[in-house]
Amino acid sequence: MVHTSFEQDIFIATSSEKVTDFLVGLNNHSQIHPLIVKVEQTASSTAEDGTEIKHYKIRDRMKQGPFTIAFTYDVMIGINTQGEIVSDAYQKPGIHLHNITRCLPEGNGTRVTEHVEITAPRLLIQTVFKQGLASHKEMFANLKKALENIDA
């Protein structure tokens, strides 16, 4: 297994509460994430620190050259005691994305930052990195459009 990561941020002209509420509800992600075709909450649990963790199965569809590949993976998401949205996505064979998203008040809106750590087999790491970064950049742009249009 090998590791890599990426970071990004965006300013959204709405409250940090609205951004956090939207992002922590993975059912909303089908509106903004370019690969997601289905989101199903499967369970919820409580972490040792009292954090509520929601468990999901997510179905993605990705173009790879002339082919379309569909795959399903498991995600756990919650808001930790520091107010960060923390999620872990697990996909076969051995792919793990650990995501920490912060929604920080800034001026008349929110600075949304994301740090994603990727673990994957050596043969897949470049594909997972490229697809993950591209889809998350598009997701952030779509998030901005969706939330700023709500407030307009």
Side-chain angles (χ1 to χ4, degrees):
M1 294 296 182
V2 291
H3 307 279
T4 190
S5 64
F6 64 85
E7 293 184 0
Q8 66 169 336
D9 73 280
I10 193 167
F11 178 82
I12 300 177
T14 194
S15 72
S16 59
E17 293 82 11
K18 285 184 182 176
V19 178
T20 299
D21 289 347
F22 189 93
L23 287 174
V24 81
L26 281 186
N27 290 321
N28 295 323
H29 285 230
S30 60
Q31 300 171 45
I32 60 171
H33 194 292
L35 303 180
I36 293 177
V37 293
K38 183 178 179 185
V39 177
E40 177 186 356
Q41 186 174 344
T42 57
S44 59
S45 60
T46 304
E48 288 182 19
D49 66 1
T51 302
E52 180 187 6
I53 307 294
K54 293 183 180 176
H55 302 256
Y56 293 87
K57 284 223 178 279
I58 296 182
R59 182 119 177 116
D60 278 5
R61 192 169 293 137
M62 176 177 72
K63 288 284 278 178
Q64 193 71 3
F67 304 103
T68 299
I69 302 166
F71 48 92
T72 302
Y73 54 97
D74 297 315
V75 176
M76 296 179 297
I77 188 167
I79 299 174
N80 69 17
T81 56
Q82 290 82 38
E84 302 165 326
I85 301 168
V86 179
S87 68
D88 287 284
Y90 298 93
Q91 179 188 341
K92 293 179 182 174
I95 298 168
H96 176 213
L97 277 71
H98 177 71
N99 183 320
I100 298 176
T101 302
R102 294 172 182 87
C103 303
L104 305 168
E106 181 180 299
N108 65 342
T110 303
R111 175 67 54 188
V112 183
T113 65
E114 173 183 62
H115 177 81
V116 179
E117 296 174 10
I118 302 168
T119 303
R122 184 171 305 283
L123 292 174
L124 296 175
I125 194 72
Q126 283 300 88
T127 300
V128 174
F129 175 81
K130 287 178 186 176
Q131 289 291 330
L133 179 59
S135 65
H136 279 234
K137 282 182 181 264
E138 187 172 338
M139 180 180 77
F140 265 36
N142 291 339
L143 175 68
K144 180 177 179 70
K145 286 179 199 169
L147 293 182
E148 288 182 350
N149 286 340
I150 288 172
D151 288 344

